Amino acid sequence: MATKKFMFLNRKAPYGTVYALESLEVVLIGAAFEQDVSLAFIGDGVYQIAKNQNTDGIGMKNFSPTYKALGDYEVTKLYVEKESLEARGLTLDDLMDLTWEDEDDDYAEKPSIRLVSAAELAAVFDEQDVVLSF
Amino acid sequence: MPIEVNGKSFETDEEGYLVNLGEWEPDCATVMAAAEDQELTENHWEVINFLREYYDEYQIAPAVRVLTKAIGKKLGKDKGNSKYLYELFPYGPGKQACKYAGLPKPTGCV
Amino acid sequence: MSTLHTVNKSPFERDSLSSCIRLAVKGSAILLIEDGVFGAMAGTDHSDMVQAAMKDASVYVLGPDLAARGMSEDRVIDGIQIIDYSGFVNLTAECNNVQSWL
C-alpha cells in the first residue's frame, strides 16, 4: 500500500465539544496504519495544545498529556497557524513543549511544533492526499 | 461482571477490563491472570508496571507497536520485540497486559 | 440585579458573546463558562469589546473552566471577577432571571 499524506485539521477548543478528543483518537488509530500523518491547529484548535490544562475542577479527563505521546506514534509534524495564536494573544510559550525522539540521531529530542503563517499552511494543505477536519 | 480480589469487588466491563482504573491494585492482575491460567513472573510485572507508568504520563494505553519500541528503549532490545511480548502475553501484549494493568484497551485495538 | 447572562461558546467561533453584549441592558451580569471563558482573556481580538461592555455590565468568568483550558488567571482582563461553582450559584440566586446564550 502506497503511503498517503493525511492531515488532521483541528479547529475547536478542547472540553467544550468532543471534536478535539475525537480527532486525537482517530490520529492514534490512524498512526497504526503507518501513513504520513500531520496535524494542523488553527482557530480555537490552538487551545488544544495549551500548557497547564487542569481539569480537576470540571470532572472531565485531561487529555492534553496524550499529545505528548504523538512522537511515539511517529506523528512529528504539528503545524500551528501564527495568525490564530496572535488573534488569541498567545505565543509558542503558551503551548506545551511537544517533541519527538529521532531514533536515527541517537534519540535526540526534536520539536514537533512548527509555527507557520496562513500562506505557508495553505501550501502544506496543498501537498496532502487527505485532509480530515475536526 | 465484577471480580473478587482480597475480599473486595471490582467492577469490570464485558471484556474484563476494570471500569474504574483508579481502583486497581497489583492483586487485580494476579486474579485476572489466574482466570486465564497464567502465572505472573517478574517479566510480566515489568511490562504491567511499564504500561501503568505510560498511562500515568500520557493518559493512554499505547498501541502494540509503540509499546514494543518503548520497552526496547527502556528494557533492552531483547525485550523490545513482539516475539518476547507475545510469549509473555499470548492474547496480545496490548489487550492482555493492559487488562491486567487495570487500563482500558489500547486505542484502536479491536 | 436584573439578568444573569451565561455565554458558553468561544467568541472566536460563535457570535453569542457579541450578541449578548449588544442586547444586555445596563446593570446585567455576564458570566463566561465552558468555551466562553476565552472571551475573558486579555490581549485577544475580542478583549476590547469585552472591556467596553464592562462599563455597563459586571463580567464574571468560571475559574474551573479557565483552569481546564490552561488559561492563566493572571491573564484575565482586569476587572473581570473569577468565581467558582458556588459563586455561580450565588449569582443565579441574586439575579431575577437567567438567560443562556447557547
Side-chain angles (χ1 to χ4, degrees):
Chain A
M1 191 170 68
T3 310
K4 285 198 168 183
K5 289 174 89 80
F6 282 80
M7 162 72 80
F8 289 84
L9 174 57
N10 298 292
R11 300 173 41 239
K12 304 255 198 325
Y15 311 116
T17 59
V18 80
Y19 291 93
L21 179 58
E22 294 271 307
S23 170
L24 186 57
E25 286 189 340
V26 177
V27 168
L28 295 177
I29 295 166
F33 296 100
E34 311 209 5
Q35 302 293 322
D36 179 359
V37 173
S38 52
L39 271 57
F41 298 89
I42 70 162
D44 278 354
V46 300
Y47 289 128
Q48 293 179 19
I49 50 176
K51 255 183 203 163
N52 301 327
Q53 297 177 35
N54 178 347
T55 57
D56 291 352
I58 63 166
M60 288 174 80
K61 179 170 159 169
N62 176 2
F63 54 90
S64 66
T66 305
Y67 292 94
K68 296 182 183 168
L70 287 172
D72 292 350
Y73 283 76
E74 287 162 35
V75 175
T76 60
K77 290 170 287 191
L78 310 184
Y79 297 94
V80 175
E81 192 198 33
K82 210 161 110 261
E83 287 84 344
S84 297
L85 277 186
E86 282 167 4
R88 287 159 185 77
L90 302 174
T91 66
L92 272 188
D93 283 345
D94 297 309
L95 304 182
M96 290 186 286
D97 189 21
L98 300 174
T99 58
W100 62 288
E101 290 179 349
D102 191 346
E103 268 180 89
D104 301 326
D105 190 5
D106 196 25
Y107 295 102
E109 285 214 350
K110 302 189 172 177
S112 299
I113 294 183
R114 304 172 186 201
L115 188 64
V116 290
S117 67
E120 288 166 325
L121 187 56
V124 176
F125 280 138
D126 197 45
E127 296 167 0
Q128 304 299 318
D129 294 302
V130 183
V131 175
L132 297 154
S133 178
F134 288 87
Chain B
M1 215 184 63
I3 56 166
E4 296 293 324
V5 179
N6 297 337
K8 272 187 288 184
S9 175
F10 293 79
E11 196 66 37
T12 63
D13 67 14
E14 67 272 16
E15 292 179 282
Y17 291 81
L18 275 197
V19 172
N20 300 311
L21 38 148
E23 292 180 351
W24 184 89
E25 45 188 79
D27 281 339
C28 292
T30 316
V31 169
M32 286 177 179
E36 291 174 341
D37 288 326
Q38 270 227 296
E39 211 172 305
L40 297 180
T41 64
E42 285 284 301
N43 290 337
H44 291 95
W45 282 109
E46 225 169 36
V47 177
I48 291 170
N49 290 329
F50 179 87
L51 280 168
R52 288 195 60 84
E53 282 162 26
Y54 196 93
Y55 191 89
D56 203 43
E57 185 164 1
Y58 300 115
Q59 299 296 301
I60 47 165
V64 179
R65 181 170 60 93
V66 173
L67 171 69
T68 310
K69 220 166 60 173
I71 292 260
K73 194 185 164 208
K74 181 152 188 219
L75 305 172
K77 285 271 178 260
D78 53 325
K79 293 183 174 174
N81 62 77
S82 40
K83 183 170 175 284
Y84 172 79
L85 291 171
Y86 271 93
E87 270 166 11
L88 286 179
F89 299 100
Y91 294 103
K95 272 186 196 182
Q96 199 176 9
C98 284
K99 185 163 79 175
Y100 296 173
L103 307 185
K105 208 156 69 163
T107 306
C109 203
V110 266
Chain C
M1 236 184 282
S2 59
T3 300
L4 170 64
H5 298 266
T6 63
V7 174
N8 74 340
K9 297 293 188 297
S10 162
F12 297 96
E13 220 198 347
R14 305 277 183 88
D15 64 1
S16 347
L17 180 58
S18 61
S19 300
C20 165
I21 287 174
R22 195 169 66 241
L23 296 167
V25 297
K26 222 177 158 99
S28 298
I30 300 174
L31 171 62
L32 305 172
I33 59 170
E34 299 171 25
D35 286 348
V37 301
F38 297 121
M41 305 311 292
T44 81
D45 284 359
H46 299 287
S47 307
D48 289 348
M49 172 184 74
V50 176
Q51 248 157 345
M54 287 163 63
K55 290 189 201 102
D56 291 331
S58 322
V59 181
Y60 303 83
V61 63
L62 196 60
D65 279 330
L66 280 175
R69 289 159 183 78
M71 297 294 110
S72 160
E73 297 193 356
D74 300 340
R75 282 160 70 181
V76 165
I77 294 169
D78 270 344
I80 293 186
Q81 298 176 59
I82 302 165
I83 60 170
D84 58 12
Y85 287 105
S86 62
F88 188 172
V89 173
N90 291 341
L91 260 186
T92 310
E94 287 165 21
C95 293
N96 305 325
N97 261 317
V98 179
Q99 182 171 344
S100 303
W101 294 80
L102 296 176

